[in-house]
Amino acid sequence: MYVEAEAAGYFFSQYEWHGKNGEYADRPGYRTLEIPSLYVDNAFPYMKAAKDNWTSKFPETAKFAATIQDPELRAMKVGQLKEGIDAGYEEIAKMTEQLMSPGEDKPWAFCLIMHPKIGSKILRVAMAIAKEEGFDIDAIHDDEGHLIDETLEWGTCAVDGRDAIYTSFMEKWTSKGKSAHVVHWLQQLGLMTSK
């Protein structure tokens, strides 16, 4: 009972996000573009914290477990809880990975560009990959590839190669031929018209 009560905050936020639509919702029901925020800001951090230190998310459960007199039973119950947390973490990690990796038919990763905290870093990764792939992103071309403005000056944006988010996404988005998918979706979503 303690586990269920303490996990309610996590599950209610998930339910509120997924479960309210139509006239019951306090906002429009189409929330696809916000899916990365749900995972980046809520689901993944919660499960990561629980995996790293389960007592941080389940303090009352930990207090109750400490009252179990039989050490074998206590170890078994704590072990079951940790196994459940590990399984939940693996599932959230798998879903988060699918959302954050561009693929041939998966543009969802680009929803991350709108994230208020990491969006600009993700866009920098995408633009750096486009430049590495030989796209001239410092000029404007029309849909047929004709040069419209060669003097376009976007300015430069400093990229800290030590930034964990930047390096993680650069690694993830350039592995296994994903660079071509990044450029493809930049063009398909209208974020880049270049030759």
Side-chain angles (χ1 to χ4, degrees):
M1 294 298 280
Y2 286 105
V3 173
E4 291 175 8
E6 291 185 300
Y10 170 77
F11 287 111
F12 282 147
S13 65
Q14 297 290 317
Y15 171 76
E16 290 289 316
W17 200 89
H18 290 290
K20 288 199 171 181
N21 53 32
E23 63 271 12
Y24 298 112
D26 59 357
R27 54 175 285 47
Y30 188 73
R31 301 183 75 179
T32 302
L33 298 177
E34 298 171 23
I35 288 175
S37 292
L38 175 69
Y39 284 92
V40 169
D41 295 335
N42 185 32
F44 194 74
Y46 180 92
M47 292 306 291
K48 175 88 170 90
K51 182 175 172 54
D52 290 346
N53 178 12
W54 73 272
T55 60
S56 69
K57 295 297 176 187
F58 302 100
E60 295 302 316
T61 305
K63 288 178 192 173
F64 176 75
T67 66
I68 298 174
Q69 298 299 318
D70 182 357
E72 288 180 17
L73 179 61
R74 184 179 337 114
M76 181 185 76
K77 293 297 181 187
V78 169
Q80 288 173 335
L81 178 64
K82 288 181 178 180
E83 284 179 26
I85 291 170
D86 288 346
Y89 175 84
E90 292 303 320
E91 193 61 32
I92 291 292
K94 184 171 59 174
M95 288 189 287
T96 305
E97 178 66 26
Q98 290 173 356
L99 282 170
M100 294 187 180
S101 295
E104 188 174 339
D105 59 348
K106 296 189 304 186
W108 302 116
F110 286 94
C111 294
L112 287 164
I113 291 170
M114 297 184 318
H115 192 278
K117 295 177 186 168
I118 64 171
S120 62
K121 295 175 184 183
I122 305 301
L123 185 57
R124 287 180 191 147
V125 168
M127 298 308 284
I129 290 171
K131 204 165 195 168
E132 285 176 10
E133 290 289 308
F135 282 82
D136 182 9
I137 60 172
D138 295 322
I140 299 177
H141 299 81
D142 64 17
D143 290 340
E144 281 106 37
H146 301 106
L147 187 63
I148 296 173
D149 183 358
E150 65 182 19
T151 62
L152 178 69
E153 297 200 16
W154 290 95
T156 56
C157 185
V159 174
D160 186 356
R162 296 168 301 190
D163 181 85
I165 293 170
Y166 181 88
T167 54
S168 171
F169 275 88
M170 183 59 92
E171 213 171 271
K172 189 177 302 200
W173 284 16
T174 55
S175 68
K176 301 177 186 170
K178 290 182 183 166
S179 295
H181 298 308
V182 171
V183 173
H184 168 78
W185 286 112
L186 275 172
Q187 292 175 306
Q188 288 296 313
L189 297 172
L191 297 172
M192 181 177 83
T193 53
S194 178
K195 64 177 187 178

